[in-house]
Amino acid sequence: MIYLILYKILGYRYAVVLQNLSRSFPERSYEEVNRLAGGFYRHFSGIFLEMALMLLAPARLVKKRVRVKNPELLRHYHAQQRNIMIMLGHYGNWECLNVLPAHVDFDMHAVYKPLSNRFFDRVMRRLRARFGLKLLPMDKAARHMLAAKHQPGAYIFVADQCPGKEAHTVDFLQQPTPVITGAERLAKITDAVVLYATVSKTAAPASWEISFQLITDSPGSLPPFAITERFSRFLEEDIRRQPQYWLWTHRRWKNRS
């Protein structure tokens, strides 16, 4: 029903979705792009129900539906007394990472941008903190990480948002794309291990698998923007593999003519 309302009746941001898909996959026909759009709206509609499930369902049920494939990678670097930075995009159901504190025995923070609507902001904060995830407003993240750099923990950054003034441009989905670089700068300042997180759909309904890949464990040795560019390549590979799971309603290239 949500799918029918968003896609068939309201056409929610349909022009944005179609333009984003067409520019990202110029080799695909109009019919193929339309099929991708339909697949995206089905996924996007399901996210609303999954978020309600993660907020209201018994904790054991939520944990059962979200599998963490290799949490030992987190434990390995924490045992070395290293800060860990987890970078991911708006791909799959990124809110699933709220279960991660149930799989480790150290502090895990999520950097987020508070919503302008107070009611929905409270709902999202409750959802994200349900299993012990500590929330850090974006404008306070740098100060907190610098103050706590000798108390190793993990920090989650959704890093495919539109940047502000400070940005670096990468070739992403066949388009020049400005990207935020704050996560990279903090990783270098705090000597944090940087991981990429993928949230992949499983065969079971409303179920996901979180897996991690190493971007770097020596950020200071890399040239400028190498971390940002590696993150962008990992995310692009995920999107090309299953395009319907990225957030195509996002006006990611809004400043492009």
Side-chain angles (χ1 to χ4, degrees), residues 181-194:
T181 58
E184 173 170 334
R185 293 198 306 272
L186 284 173
K188 290 193 172 189
I189 293 172
T190 61
D191 190 35
V193 175
V194 187

Side-chain angles (χ1 to χ4, degrees), residues 12 18 24 28 38 57 61 142 163 175 181 188 194 197 200 231 244:
Y12 174 70
L18 209 62
S24 300
R28 301 209 181 196
L61 179 60
Q175 302 166 82
T181 58
K188 290 193 172 189
V194 187
S200 304
F231 161 74
Q244 68 271 29

